[in-house]
Structures are given as C-alpha cells and as structure tokens.
Amino acid sequence: MSEPKDLSYILTHLGEDRAQYFDAVIPPIVQSAMFAHPNVATMRTRVADEFSSHVYTRGQNPTVEIVAKKIAALEGAEAALMFGSGAAAMAAAALSVLRAGDEVLCVDKPYAWTRTLVKSHLQRFGVNGRLLDARDPAEVEAAITDQTRLIILESPNSLTFEQQDLVAIARIARARGIFTLLDNSFATPLGQSAIELGIDLVAHSATKYLNGHSDVLAGVVAGSEKLIRDLFHGPYMTLGAILSPHDAWLLLRGLRTLPVRLKQIAETTDTVLRYLERHPKVARVHSPWAQSYSQFGLTQQQLRHGSGLLSIELKADRVEQVDQFVDRLDRFLIAASWGGYESLVFPVAGVRNWPSLDFPASVPVGLIRFSIGLESSDVLIADLEQAFQAI
Ligand SMILES: *Cc1c(COP(=O)(O)O)cnc(C)c1O
C-alpha cells in the first residue's frame, strides 16, 4: 500500500495560498461569520454553489478549508468536511445517506457514541440498526437485507482493537449499492488508506492523533466529491456542527507534526508492549501488534505502522485491584480520550455506569487502556513497574 502522495507537500503547502494573505507563512484565522460580495451578480453566483464559495462560515470558511483540503489529500479522497467533533462527523455522515425504512449494519464494539447513534437515535427516525461482530466478511454478507443501506465500520476499534477486512467488506457492499463508512481514528490516514481499499466515507475524531495536543475537539468526513457535496447540502448545513476557524487553526498547527509524533509514539508503544507482554502480573495484552492478537494477518494487510493505544487485563481476581493499580500510576493521567502528546490511562471499570453511555458487555470490565504519548519508554515502564509492585 502506498503512502499518501508527497506527505511533506500536503502538510506544509497544500491549500495554503499565501499570496492571499500578505505572504504570511502561517494562514490567518478568518474569524468572520460571513463574507461580503462586491455586487449582487457575484452574490448570486456564490450562493448558487455555496460548497465552492465563501458566503457564511456555517458553510465554507478559508481557515477551515485549508485543514479539510489537507486531510482529504492525506486520505486520498476528493473532498472532506470538518466538524466540531468526531461524534458529529460520524452522525452527519450516517444521516446524509440514510432514509426512514433503511437498515444500518454496524460493528458491535464501535466508539460508544456511535453505538448510541445506531442503537437509539437512528431507531427514532425509522432506521433499524443491527450490531454484528464483522471480523468475518461472510457474516456481514449474510446479514445484508434489501433494506441495508449503510455499513458502519471501525477498524481497529479503540478498546480491544478488532479489525474488519476492509477490501472484502467494501467489495460486498459496492456490489449491492450499499454505502460504507469507516471510523479511521485509530490508524490515521498515515496508517490506513481506506478510500484506496474501497470504503466510501472515512471519518475521524480529529481530537485524537490529527490534532494530537488534547486542546481541540474536531471531526472530519472524507470521500468522493459527490458524497461530500450531498453531506454539505444535507446534515452539514442543517445541523451546523461546524469546526470554528480558531479550532481549525489549532488543528492545522497540530497536523503539521503528525508524522513525527506518530513515529515516536509507535516506537515507544512497541517497547512498552513488549514489556507488558512479558510481565507476570499481566493476563492479556490487547493490540494489533500483540503476540496473542488473532487478526495479525489484517494488521499486516491494512495497517502501515503502530499506534499509541494498547490495553491490558491484569492477573487479578477483584476489580478493586484495577483501581489500585491505576491510582498508583504517576505518569499516566486518568482520562478518557487518547492520541495526545501525554500518556493517559483509561480503566473501563471507571466508566461502566456512565448513565448516557451504552457500553458493550463484551468489553472486559477489568480492561485498562493506555494511550502512550511522547514521554520516553524508560519513564513510562518505570512508572508501570512501581504500580505493578504495589498490587
Ligand atoms: C473519540 C472518538 C470518537 C468521537 O470523537 P469526538 O471528537 O470525541 O467527538 C469517535 N470514534 C473514536 C474511535 C474515538 O476514539
């Protein structure tokens, strides 16, 4: 699988028309709600194609467009739209292709709010949602009915890292005119080129690696110009879950260093993973690169490089030992989310009774997820070791 075309050009120059803004190296934050037209005729032309013009910032905004162009190019997609969060991106993408009476098939352990979208919100509008394991493409094929209009994938997922065979599922869906939507947040466009593999719409929580500094919520949907235009004229303009110009500018700043951050994080995570795999107090390590991982063939087929996410299950009889271990950690902040410069720990036991969260029962209650940041592996391993000693 090929790397996105000329990564350096995309991250440093693509979409940046510096002559438009005093040859400034860094683009301005165009903090303007609307754009003025020199005359009525120009206004008429611009509103006729708002997707390609500047009319109102709920539509297109020059600062936001720079980020969208770069992420589309990284994904090898014709176009992309930015959203105020990854959850908004997933929901808008689904709404843009679904109608009442349709059915959506979705992986059974997606991001929690994707699950809530499929299991409760869409049902209210007459869209039946069905969850399935999806590790076997034949299971997906067998689940398809005449009503199936969309297949929602997340490969790998962000807790236990199951993958789907994207080529096989895309082929099955395309042959029947069914849309595919992939949450590609884990891999990033650098790690997995889903459009090239046949997926129609690729979404990200740009809050995670794309921004990488834990200071912005953002989402993106990339795909063909046709699908992205439909999305624009549908849920994008009507729901208005946009990314602000200021947040787009911060995201652009984070995106510049994506390749170096990911390289460093993948290297550190590999060292931490090998340490955890050998540890006598660890019952199981979950990662697409773990020795015990059952889908390593797909890791080699679909993923270009490592990531900073991995989970463990302790050799412990009581959930309280999970609490003790996690509380003991000093260099890992206890927090949801992932993909930033800082290492985090997320114990599933800590969120099991989050009232609004629909957590799949198949995720082990003792699961502890780590998001490895930019600290050195020595520092992180020393911290893990002292916490293991304490239980
Ligand atoms: C965080 C996350 C989301 C949601 O993104 P937000 O930016 O938090 O709305 C969606 N999918 C995955 C895999 C995530 O980790």
Side-chain angles (χ1 to χ4, degrees):
M1 225 160 28
S2 54
E3 283 273 339
K5 300 271 175 310
D6 197 350
L7 194 52
S8 307
Y9 178 79
I10 295 171
L11 292 175
T12 312
H13 300 296
L14 181 79
E16 300 185 63
D17 192 355
R18 296 184 170 103
Q20 295 275 353
Y21 37 83
F22 314 105
D23 292 313
V25 169
I26 303 302
I29 304 171
V30 181
Q31 192 73 24
S32 182
M34 62 285 201
F35 300 85
H37 314 286
N39 51 52
V40 178
T42 306
M43 181 186 201
R44 199 173 288 125
T45 315
R46 288 179 183 168
V47 300
D49 185 8
E50 195 170 352
F51 182 76
S52 317
S53 325
H54 299 133
V55 176
Y56 194 61
T57 283
R58 179 156 38 74
Q60 299 286 16
N61 170 282
T63 311
V64 181
E65 274 176 282
I66 295 173
V67 189
K69 279 186 187 153
K70 286 185 192 290
I71 296 176
L74 292 176
E75 279 292 357
E78 288 171 7
L81 284 171
M82 303 308 304
F83 290 84
S85 71
M90 286 297 291
L95 289 174
S96 77
V97 299
L98 291 169
R99 306 159 303 199
D102 286 343
E103 183 174 76
V104 46
L105 301 179
C106 179
V107 286
D108 63 357
K109 278 188 262 179
Y111 180 67
W113 295 106
T114 301
R115 201 166 194 269
T116 304
L117 171 76
V118 169
K119 287 304 289 175
S120 58
H121 288 281
L122 292 177
Q123 308 275 358
R124 290 175 50 217
F125 302 96
V127 174
N128 186 36
R130 278 162 62 207
L131 301 175
L132 71 176
D133 181 274
R135 272 177 290 185
D136 179 3
E139 184 202 358
V140 178
E141 187 162 30
I144 289 171
T145 67
D146 289 345
Q147 280 66 49
T148 309
R149 182 148 170 101
L150 174 67
I151 302 174
I152 299 181
L153 305 169
E154 187 178 314
S155 185
N157 71 44
S158 63
L159 285 172
T160 46
F161 316 113
E162 283 84 354
Q163 292 180 75
Q164 299 96 51
D165 184 332
L166 301 182
V167 171
I169 294 176
R171 198 179 294 137
I172 290 164
R174 285 232 165 132
R176 292 162 181 77
I178 296 168
F179 294 106
T180 47
L181 164 63
L182 171 78
D183 184 331
N184 200 24
S185 304
F186 176 102
T188 84
L190 304 192
Q192 178 164 266
S193 300
I195 298 280
E196 189 181 311
L197 301 181
I199 298 298
D200 296 315
L201 290 167
V202 178
H204 290 271
S205 168
T207 311
K208 313 294 163 54
Y209 287 124
L210 297 181
N211 180 56
H213 292 72
S214 303
D215 50 10
V216 169
L217 263 90
V220 58
V221 180
S224 68
E225 184 170 339
K226 160 87 176 71
L227 287 179
I228 296 300
R229 273 183 184 270
D230 290 349
L231 176 60
F232 179 83
H233 293 293
Y236 188 80
M237 286 303 287
T238 53
L239 302 179
I242 60 160
L243 185 65
S244 75
H246 188 258
D247 281 348
W249 189 89
L250 283 169
L251 172 53
L252 177 61
R253 179 176 163 144
L255 192 64
R256 307 257 191 219
T257 56
L258 179 66
V260 278
R261 282 187 284 110
L262 283 178
K263 187 161 180 281
Q264 179 69 37
I265 285 171
E267 213 175 285
T268 308
T269 307
D270 189 60
T271 309
V272 173
L273 170 66
R274 301 308 156 206
Y275 157 79
L276 290 168
E277 283 186 318
R278 286 191 303 266
H279 205 283
K281 289 187 177 168
V282 175
R284 182 157 178 208
V285 181
H286 297 266
S287 156
W289 292 271
Q291 274 159 20
S292 62
Y293 186 68
S294 65
Q295 297 177 289
F296 192 65
L298 278 183
T299 303
Q300 289 175 306
Q301 192 180 309
Q302 294 180 170
L303 296 174
R304 253 184 239 107
H305 55 70
S307 148
L309 281 183
L310 78 172
S311 303
I312 60 169
E313 289 172 69
L314 295 179
K315 275 191 191 138
D317 338 305
R318 294 172 298 116
V319 169
E320 296 77 69
Q321 286 172 284
V322 170
D323 290 19
Q324 277 166 14
F325 171 76
V326 171
D327 286 347
R328 192 68 196 215
L329 290 167
D330 195 35
R331 296 299 185 103
F332 294 81
L333 299 169
I334 304 172
S337 195
W338 48 275
Y341 68 93
E342 77 291 15
S343 289
L344 302 176
V345 59
F346 176 78
V348 166
V351 297
R352 271 285 176 166
N353 48 8
W354 196 333
S356 48
L357 213 65
D358 181 13
F359 233 81
S362 53
V363 174
V365 69
L367 198 79
I368 302 169
R369 184 187 68 197
F370 298 101
S371 172
I372 303 297
L374 294 171
E375 304 89 340
S376 82
S377 56
D378 292 349
V379 164
L380 298 178
I381 289 173
D383 190 37
L384 289 163
E385 189 54 37
Q386 62 81 27
F388 281 126
Q389 297 301 331
I391 58 163

